[in-house]
Amino acid sequence: MKFLVVSVAALLSTAASAETHQYRVLFGGDDVGGLEVETAGNTSNIEFDYKQNGRGPTIAEKVGVDAEGIPTNWTITGRTTFGNPVNESYACADGKASWQDSTGPGSAGACSFYIDQNGSPWGISLLAKALLATPDAEMAVLPGGTARIRARDTATYDGADGEVTVTTYEITGLSTDPAHITLDQDLNLFSVADPRFAIVRKGYEAADEALRAEAERYSTQRFVEIQAKAARNFDGPVRIRNVRIFDPKTLALTEARDVVIYGERIASIEDLGSLSTEGETVIDGAGGTLVPGMYEMHGHIGQDNALMNIVAGVTSVRDMGNENEVLDGLIERIDDGIIAGPRISRSGFIEGQSEFSAATGEIAANEQAAIDLVRWYAARGYPQVKLYNSMNPEWADAVVGEAHDLGMRVAGHVPAFSTADAMIDAGFDEITHVNQLMLGWVLNEGEDTRTLFRFTAMQRFPSLDLDGDLVQSTLDKMAEKGVAHDPTIAIHELGLTAIDGQVPAGSIDVFDNMPVNTQRYMKQALFGTENQAERDAYIAAFDTIIETLTLMNDKGILLVPGTDLGGSFAYHRELELFEKLGMSPAQVLRRATYDMAEYLNQDQELGSIEKGRYADFFLVPGDPTANLKEIKRIQMVVSNGTVYFPSDIYPFFGIEPFAEAPEILAE
């Protein structure tokens, strides 16, 4: 959904009379808000507001355009999805451009099309209209880069105002992923959509499902094309010569070896310099290190980040909640080799019914409905269920009991108006998110965590006595009962410590390799604050989180690495933060590989590099047990026996590669 709200602002008619354009925001088919545009002459006023899962943007814009439809003045105010204040502006005067966004002020010696940072989805249609008026369907944009457009498909939809014929366009050059926008015959906005989310002209909401299916098809086509160009499937065995192997069981590297794969399996591990057989492909490991494929344990995997996880060495993802049909389709395409993606372990998402219900997964109106959903997921092979914020905590005993009777693990948020202790007593096997664990120590009776309050209340964390009975009793109970914890440290670091205009700690190592507009969004705070005192409280809260997790690690509580940020580069940061809890680089790598395979009962086939196991691993030039940052310099990934060179793939996303591919010595 993120690309729908990061490169947008206003498409305006030049008609003299005032016009109103209205749209509905649909998430998983549910109406969660709206977009309304009033245009008079060359000026438009825009209101964009939706709320899903207790959060969402509230944006007001005013934009003026010239005769060519290029913005000349623009103001954007409001709040982002997680409440960060927006006060953005752009102006073109005397042929010069100036702007202000969350990264700070900017200027250019000539005016061009300005790409907004936090506007509504209306603006990308203004860009589309401007691009379609150019001879080459492309133009330089501000703050940097070149935008390009191409038509994809035309369709007709019936609605309140009769049949409308529309065309979907693809715009590239703005970020790592293309944007799709659907316009009517007058080049007015009709919709924007992705597989789970759509903004559709009011009166045409019935087109939602078809539009989302179309978005999924475009995404699939893109990744099929990349797969055809970048995936390497060799005839015969593949010998990776001269590599050390990280052994998670000994926490050490082996002597240099040759690793041979055939099909999807590791065929043999041989002495360095062993003779190759006829028909082998030989890849020079050049003394680098092979590491087993890593596990992202808190994903909401989609087609847009499946490949990006692979090239980051994440060959397995535990999905923690998704649209069931969308996820099933993605798994099928990955399994069939149509597109690249990690192995996916599914979680059955169960939410209670309330005004704050998440649209993801399935919603239960009562206890029996929740139990029925557990049974539905069990019958379809889901290894666990995830329970969410609006579930009635009084149902926990029965729901967890049913899941355990069916051999399923139970993970989840702490339902509103309850505590982690109560859920542990009910039998939760895993508590999800460190704020969910800790909020029960600081909340007052009746405070509602179904809203952004579950984030803002973290400002109370620094007041906690971590040595006191309140905290220690919970942690001791978790250790005694073997309850695991999925803290998602990276997203908490980003939310609590990121400051507008600064590169956040988790992005420093990758920032320079990103496209211009991706860099802009990296330099934007996630959680909003009203003043420096609030930001200081957030930063102190993150310090308290690290102290708490260090205590948990010391007590032997299993901490599970996952990001809730899409994995990939964020996952690398997650592992770095595990080091801050007192773990060595080798221990972190074991946690990311073998420990997680064991936790998911997959350790007989995954988690280590051994003969007969699946060929899921990656190559780095140095020693990641000495410096964990080596995992950011991946030269090659093997996923289910298919070989990928990240340096071949990153350019498709406008990303400068981080390492050169290994040399193929013989083929």
Side-chain angles (χ1 to χ4, degrees):
M1 181 179 67
K2 184 163 56 179
F3 74 92
L4 295 172
V5 294
V6 295
S7 58
V8 288
L11 166 64
L12 301 171
S13 169
T14 57
S17 59
E19 297 179 344
T20 298
H21 302 273
Q22 294 180 312
Y23 304 84
R24 302 311 302 166
V25 180
L26 305 172
F27 197 103
D30 296 331
D31 191 317
V32 296
L35 167 67
E36 184 167 326
V37 184
E38 292 188 358
T39 301
N42 289 338
T43 300
S44 290
N45 289 284
I46 304 159
E47 299 289 339
F48 180 47
D49 190 343
Y50 74 85
K51 298 293 177 287
Q52 196 281 127
N53 192 15
R55 57 188 184 237
T58 300
I59 298 295
E61 302 174 66
K62 184 175 183 178
V63 59
V65 300
D66 63 17
E68 284 72 43
I70 305 296
T72 57
N73 56 84
W74 202 339
T75 59
I76 306 169
T77 59
R79 298 256 177 197
T80 64
T81 294
F82 286 93
N84 197 43
V86 175
N87 190 13
E88 185 175 358
S89 62
Y90 169 80
C92 174
D94 300 324
K96 297 181 180 180
S98 61
W99 61 88
Q100 174 81 39
D101 61 19
S102 66
T103 69
S107 62
C111 297
S112 186
F113 197 102
Y114 171 73
I115 304 300
D116 65 280
Q117 186 183 44
N118 283 301
S120 73
W122 179 257
I124 199 169
S125 56
L126 171 59
L127 173 62
K129 188 173 183 178
L131 285 168
L132 290 170
T134 65
D136 301 320
E138 67 176 52
M139 68 168 67
V141 295
L142 297 171
T146 300
R148 299 175 178 86
I149 193 169
R150 64 165 175 158
R152 297 302 304 262
D153 291 299
T154 298
T156 300
Y157 296 104
D158 196 10
D161 296 323
E163 287 191 345
V164 176
T165 299
V166 300
T167 300
T168 298
Y169 298 90
E170 179 181 270
I171 300 176
T172 57
L174 302 183
S175 188
T176 55
D177 298 310
H180 290 93
I181 180 84
T182 301
L183 308 179
D184 65 17
Q185 290 175 304
D186 297 323
L187 300 185
N188 289 317
L189 176 66
F190 181 78
S191 68
V192 289
D194 73 11
R196 298 177 64 206
F197 176 90
I199 300 173
V200 185
R201 183 174 294 175
K202 186 176 181 181
Y204 293 83
E205 292 89 341
D208 166 66
E209 188 172 342
L211 290 164
R212 289 191 288 121
E214 178 185 67
E216 185 171 25
R217 179 168 58 86
Y218 292 146
S219 175
T220 299
Q221 290 173 352
R222 179 190 183 212
F223 287 104
V224 167
E225 292 171 4
I226 296 175
Q227 180 80 345
K229 295 175 182 177
R232 297 171 183 262
N233 290 289
F234 300 97
D235 294 330
V238 176
R239 180 178 297 268
I240 305 163
R241 191 178 293 285
N242 186 18
V243 289
R244 297 169 296 170
I245 301 168
F246 171 65
D247 182 351
K249 298 174 184 177
T250 65
L251 298 178
L253 304 186
T254 67
E255 296 296 323
R257 296 282 190 269
D258 287 358
V259 175
V260 182
I261 62 174
Y262 184 65
E264 63 186 14
R265 299 279 181 172
I266 299 170
S268 63
I269 298 175
E270 304 178 8
D271 291 339
L272 176 64
S274 297
L275 294 177
S276 60
T277 63
E278 183 178 353
E280 287 186 10
T281 296
V282 180
I283 296 175
D284 185 9
T289 303
L290 284 190
V291 180
M294 299 183 291
Y295 280 76
E296 155 66 289
M297 294 292 285
H298 197 116
H300 297 279
I301 191 75
Q303 205 155 243
D304 57 338
N305 58 22
L307 178 58
M308 291 297 286
N309 272 285
I310 289 293
V311 294
V314 177
T315 57
S316 295
V317 168
R318 181 179 65 165
D319 187 276
M320 292 297 284
N322 219 313
E323 294 296 320
N324 295 325
E325 291 184 2
V326 172
L327 184 61
D328 287 346
L330 176 61
I331 292 172
E332 182 178 350
R333 290 189 292 278
I334 292 171
D335 288 348
D336 290 344
I338 296 172
I339 64 171
R343 302 176 190 277
I344 298 173
S345 298
R346 300 178 297 181
S347 298
F349 192 100
I350 301 175
E351 169 70 307
Q353 193 171 59
S354 81
E355 61 181 307
F356 302 106
S357 296
T360 301
E362 302 296 331
I363 295 176
N366 52 57
E367 181 181 291
Q368 186 58 51
I371 291 172
D372 290 344
L373 285 171
V374 170
R375 297 189 61 78
W376 189 93
Y377 284 123
R380 286 153 181 81
Y382 284 66
Q384 77 168 31
V385 291
K386 177 187 177 183
L387 308 181
Y388 208 59
N389 295 327
S390 291
M391 192 194 80
N392 188 330
E394 295 178 1
W395 307 345
D397 287 333
V399 173
V400 173
E402 186 71 19
H404 286 170
D405 287 345
L406 294 170
M408 303 174 76
R409 179 186 288 113
V410 177
H413 287 209
V414 173
F417 313 112
S418 187
T419 65
D421 285 86
M423 294 304 103
I424 294 167
D425 290 340
F428 270 42
D429 301 289
E430 177 182 317
I431 301 294
T432 302
H433 300 302
V434 69
N435 67 321
Q436 293 285 319
L437 172 68
M438 297 175 65
L439 283 171
W441 302 331
V442 299
L443 292 179
N444 299 314
E445 186 175 353
E447 291 183 320
D448 192 345
T449 56
R450 294 173 298 178
T451 68
L452 288 178
F453 183 66
R454 65 182 181 267
F455 306 122
T456 59
M458 287 191 281
Q459 295 177 56
R460 301 175 184 177
F461 286 177
S463 65
L464 280 168
D465 177 8
L466 299 184
D467 294 323
D469 290 343
L470 183 66
V471 173
Q472 289 293 319
S473 63
T474 302
L475 302 189
D476 288 343
K477 185 184 297 186
M478 292 182 72
E480 178 186 349
K481 293 178 176 288
V483 177
H485 183 46
D486 169 18
T488 59
I489 318 174
I491 195 171
H492 286 84
E493 179 190 47
L494 180 65
L496 296 171
T497 71
I499 298 172
D500 282 342
Q502 298 183 17
V503 180
S507 299
I508 289 173
D509 293 338
V510 302
F511 181 82
D512 290 340
N513 297 65
M514 295 295 134
V516 172
N517 282 300
T518 300
Q519 290 179 339
R520 289 175 76 198
Y521 304 123
M522 283 181 165
K523 293 171 67 175
Q524 182 173 17
L526 184 63
F527 295 170
T529 56
E530 297 296 334
N531 49 56
Q532 187 59 45
E534 286 190 5
R535 180 58 65 194
D536 290 343
Y538 273 153
I539 293 171
F542 184 69
D543 292 338
T544 304
I545 285 172
I546 294 296
E547 292 177 33
T548 303
L549 293 173
T550 301
L551 283 173
M552 297 176 72
N553 186 56
D554 291 344
K555 287 178 179 288
I557 297 168
L558 180 66
L559 301 177
V560 172
T563 68
D564 204 18
L565 286 168
S568 186
F569 303 124
Y571 186 78
H572 295 165
R573 180 58 181 173
E574 182 80 12
L575 298 187
E576 287 182 322
L577 292 169
F578 266 64
E579 279 192 281
K580 293 182 178 293
L581 311 183
M583 300 174 71
S584 70
Q587 289 172 326
V588 173
L589 287 175
R590 176 187 168 107
R591 182 59 50 86
T593 57
Y594 185 80
D595 286 350
M596 293 302 95
E598 186 176 48
Y599 185 57
L600 297 181
N601 297 315
Q602 298 173 359
D603 53 303
Q604 297 304 306
E605 307 233 73
L606 294 165
S608 61
I609 300 172
E610 301 179 54
K611 176 180 171 61
R613 297 191 174 220
Y614 283 118
D616 283 20
F617 51 76
F618 61 93
L619 173 69
V620 296
D623 178 2
T625 67
N627 181 2
L628 192 60
K629 285 185 182 291
E630 280 295 307
I631 66 172
K632 299 184 178 185
R633 298 201 299 145
I634 295 176
Q635 297 176 288
M636 176 181 71
V637 179
V638 178
S639 177
N640 204 42
T642 299
V643 176
Y644 299 91
F645 296 159
S647 59
D648 290 343
I649 294 170
Y650 281 132
F652 287 104
F653 297 86
I655 299 172
E656 182 181 339
F658 299 89
E660 294 182 354
E663 183 181 359
I664 300 177
L665 298 176
E667 186 174 353

